[in-house]
Amino acid sequence: MTAQLTKLVNEKGLDSQNYHCAGCRRPIGIIFGKAKLCKYNGQYYCFDCHLDDERVIPARVLFNWDFRQHKVSVASCEFLDSIEHMPVLNIEEVNKALYLYIPQMEETLKLRQQLLHLKDYLLTCKDREAEDQFRRRVKSAHLLENAHLYSIHDLTEVHSGGFTEGLRRAIKMGKKHVRQCPLCSQKGFICEVCHSEQVIYPFELETTYQCPSCSALFHKDCHTANAECPKCLRIEKRRRATAEAENQ
């Protein structure tokens, strides 16, 4: 069942099942009664194993952004219901093009990236009340683990517009805490290019850029796409100096 989550299936024809139900194996088709197709796994079932239940098909969402419900077998229906709230879909691995072509997904990715940056502050702060408030607003634990993990329910909420509301509330609370907290506010950065005294934070995605190698932070206006990171250059210079000293 799990293998079909991220695969668009095609009908293979009843003859591929030797005219037997994929569930109970009783004969179906021709003189034995109409076969019923499960849109989740592409297999055919008898009337007892397929009751015309309808569910959203995960693969159709992932590749076509199609949230229409389709008829599925009893087994497929039970499986889809059982994993509806489980974060079993990694968008980056399955189809990261969703971030490029679906505005809601692009917006949600940015919000979840902000959330992960804020997590590094709130979950290490000595103010346990602030941490508890942050966790309550986030609700689902997987939102604090990986920006690309989604459940079927999450994607349905993204499509309907309800998913980002909770994220925005958590981010608003988190930003306010970081800037006002004596401990968290000291964990900001100084731009590695202009060295302005203005403290910047990695969750300020609209105005900052973070080096993927050393995590140094810059103002976006200061960062040049092809320029080498000053901190990375310093690290490499020290590494070479250490290596030369050891070789002498």
Side-chain angles (χ1 to χ4, degrees):
M1 285 286 187
T2 305
Q4 302 301 328
L5 277 172
T6 59
K7 293 181 180 179
L8 289 169
V9 299
N10 297 313
E11 301 176 33
K12 296 180 180 179
L14 193 51
D15 58 326
S16 67
Q17 295 177 206
N18 198 26
Y19 297 92
H20 285 79
C21 171
C24 66
R25 306 307 299 168
R26 75 169 62 169
I28 52 175
I30 312 177
I31 64 172
F32 299 106
K34 182 180 178 181
K36 305 177 79 170
L37 176 67
C38 173
K39 289 289 188 176
Y40 174 66
N41 61 21
Q43 295 182 312
Y44 291 90
Y45 294 81
C46 68
F47 277 82
D48 288 332
C49 295
H50 194 313
L51 301 179
D52 293 328
D53 292 307
E54 295 186 343
R55 293 293 184 272
V56 171
I57 308 300
R60 291 175 181 260
V61 172
L62 293 170
F63 295 104
N64 300 326
W65 203 238
D66 175 9
F67 286 85
R68 291 175 295 174
Q69 296 202 344
H70 299 268
K71 292 182 179 180
V72 298
S73 68
V74 172
S76 294
C77 181
E78 292 176 350
F79 171 72
L80 291 172
D81 286 348
S82 72
I83 56 97
E84 181 182 5
H85 293 273
M86 295 182 183
V88 293
L89 304 173
N90 188 312
I91 303 300
E92 186 177 42
E93 294 178 356
V94 178
N95 184 20
K96 60 184 178 182
L98 284 178
Y99 295 134
L100 297 176
Y101 299 110
I102 306 300
Q104 301 103 305
M105 288 299 292
E106 180 185 14
E107 177 189 21
T108 302
L109 175 61
K110 291 178 180 178
L111 292 175
R112 291 188 63 172
Q113 288 172 333
Q114 282 186 289
L115 202 65
L116 290 179
H117 284 303
L118 285 165
K119 177 201 73 172
D120 294 336
Y121 289 85
L122 272 294
L123 270 57
T124 58
C125 182
K126 293 181 179 180
D127 186 345
R128 291 292 145 230
E129 183 178 348
E131 178 186 344
D132 291 342
Q133 289 180 10
F134 185 66
R135 288 186 183 276
R136 285 197 298 271
R137 282 175 168 80
V138 174
K139 296 182 180 180
S140 299
H142 68 272
L143 299 180
L144 297 177
E145 297 172 4
N146 187 313
H148 306 290
L149 287 179
Y150 287 83
S151 66
I152 298 299
H153 179 75
D154 291 337
L155 292 174
T156 302
E157 287 286 289
V158 171
H159 182 250
S160 67
F163 190 75
T164 58
E165 293 179 11
L167 296 182
R168 291 183 188 282
R169 286 195 294 269
I171 290 169
K172 182 178 180 180
M173 174 263 161
K175 285 182 176 180
K176 181 178 180 181
H177 169 82
V178 171
R179 293 190 173 107
Q180 294 181 350
C181 174
L183 177 63
C184 294
S185 61
Q186 297 303 310
K187 296 180 182 179
F189 294 76
I190 297 298
C191 176
E192 286 280 342
V193 176
C194 71
H195 302 292
S196 167
E197 293 183 0
Q198 177 192 14
V199 178
I200 55 179
Y201 299 92
F203 54 77
E204 298 170 330
L205 300 183
E206 298 299 323
T207 57
T208 64
Y209 170 82
Q210 190 163 36
C211 175
S213 299
C214 71
S215 298
L217 202 64
F218 313 85
H219 293 111
K220 272 191 176 177
D221 292 340
C222 295
H223 172 68
T224 304
N226 297 322
E228 294 187 83
C229 169
K231 185 175 180 180
C232 285
L233 290 175
R234 293 198 302 271
I235 293 173
E236 178 61 19
K237 185 178 180 180
R238 285 198 298 269
R239 187 192 67 78
R240 289 179 180 178
T242 301
E244 289 177 0
E246 292 176 348
N247 291 331
Q248 290 178 355

